[in-house]
Amino acid sequence: MYIDGVFSGGGMKGIALVGAYETLEKRGFRFKRLAGTSAGSIIASLIAAGYTSAEISRMMEELNERELLDPRFSFLPLKMLQWASIYWRLGLYKGDKLENWISEKLKAKGISVFGDFDKGKLKLIASDLTNGKMLVLPDDLNRYGLNPERFSVARAVRMSCSIPYFFEPVKLKSSAGICTVVDGGVLSNFPIWLFTAEKKRPVLGVTLMPNEKERPKKTIGNAFELFGALFETMKEAHDARHIATKHERNIIFLPVEEVLSTEFAISAEKKLALIELGKKRTELFLKQWTY
């Protein structure tokens, strides 16, 4: 059965998305169109390129996530390095290794630019801070004087994954100048709305956000907790309202509590646990899903 799929952001929690994909694949579902933000952009792009769940699971097992982190000022003491990177480069890590890894995996399946996909196959979300706009990639690139068909998919994934202050923003060179682009989760962490306006087939979403009933209240007692709550609210509030009013029955919720979004030193045991969580939650969902 052909469906359209949407995958949410969530950093390292996104490994659970692989388990959800495995269960869906085993049940005979195939994706005609895909969309994603941040971690969801990675899984969506790999599925669109033709990777099976077994291939992606093996990829995750073999990957040492810490190797994707590339600090710019490696000769400085740690604390000085962190402040220098954030102040001057706006992020702790360059993000080049992440982009190169994605590029390598996509090229193995013959994918380099969006034109290598069927038109409309893949849509990714990023945030243009310079102009205060949400970017739907590749659709919005022509507004920047860029050819959507010739734009690198790996570059788009890198843009969607640029967690503020963690990865350096992407400097998008366009006909109007240079734009600073960060993680799509700033404006839409779960873009299920992309396919629901023009529904051609069942649309199924997989999100790492908890549903309304499971969402814990945030404790805010200092400036760091305030910033964390601010960013989480910014990521979730818009999409949560859209979900609650229209599409909750078509969404698999994978609330991950034991893993941080930026936990790149994640253990093999935690990876397996995340994949199992994704599989089991999806199996439970499919038992009651009517489409």
Side-chain angles (χ1 to χ4, degrees), residues 177-287:
I178 297 177
C179 302
T180 298
V181 180
V182 300
D183 195 299
V186 171
L187 295 175
S188 183
N189 202 45
F190 183 45
I192 196 166
W193 47 269
L194 275 170
F195 296 147
T196 52
E198 183 192 1
K199 191 173 179 181
K200 298 182 176 181
R201 59 192 66 82
V203 177
L204 183 61
V206 187
T207 179
L208 299 161
M209 297 189 297
N211 61 30
E212 187 117 14
K213 295 174 184 176
E214 295 175 313
R215 188 171 295 122
K217 294 188 182 298
K218 297 175 177 66
T219 301
I220 304 170
N222 57 53
F224 294 106
E225 290 173 348
L226 175 64
F227 179 80
L230 179 69
F231 189 62
E232 288 300 311
T233 301
M234 186 168 56
K235 286 198 307 177
E236 297 176 4
H238 170 270
D239 296 323
R241 182 165 181 166
H242 193 74
I243 289 167
T245 54
K246 295 183 180 180
H247 308 295
E248 191 164 353
R249 58 177 292 275
N250 295 319
I251 295 170
I252 303 167
F253 293 92
L254 308 177
V256 177
E257 298 176 359
E258 303 301 320
V259 175
L260 298 174
S261 296
T262 55
E263 194 175 332
F264 277 70
I266 190 170
S267 66
E269 291 75 22
K270 279 190 177 181
K271 284 186 190 180
L272 289 174
L274 285 172
I275 291 173
E276 281 302 310
L277 170 70
K279 289 163 62 175
K280 288 178 180 177
R281 280 272 183 156
T282 304
E283 286 165 2
L284 288 172
F285 171 87
L286 290 176
K287 286 179 181 178

Side-chain angles (χ1 to χ4, degrees), residues 49-104:
Y51 278 98
T52 65
S53 61
E55 289 175 315
I56 299 176
S57 290
R58 196 156 51 245
M59 201 184 294
M60 291 298 108
E61 287 174 20
E62 295 169 354
L63 177 65
N64 179 353
E65 285 78 8
R66 281 171 290 189
E67 293 180 358
L68 301 180
L69 303 180
D70 42 4
R72 187 174 291 276
F73 303 104
S74 57
F75 57 89
L76 294 175
L78 180 60
K79 287 294 181 184
M80 191 180 295
L81 160 65
Q82 291 175 340
W83 281 110
S85 295
I86 291 173
Y87 188 83
W88 293 108
R89 306 303 305 187
L90 309 181
L92 288 173
Y93 303 101
K94 291 186 284 185
D96 294 344
K97 286 188 175 181
L98 173 63
E99 182 176 341
N100 291 339
W101 181 79
I102 294 293
S103 177
E104 174 191 319

Side-chain angles (χ1 to χ4, degrees), residues 41 99 114 124-126 137 151-161:
S41 73
E99 182 176 341
F114 280 97
L124 309 177
I125 299 294
L137 303 167
F151 197 81
S152 163
V153 180
R155 188 67 169 169
V157 172
R158 158 84 173 88
M159 290 161 71
S160 186
C161 289

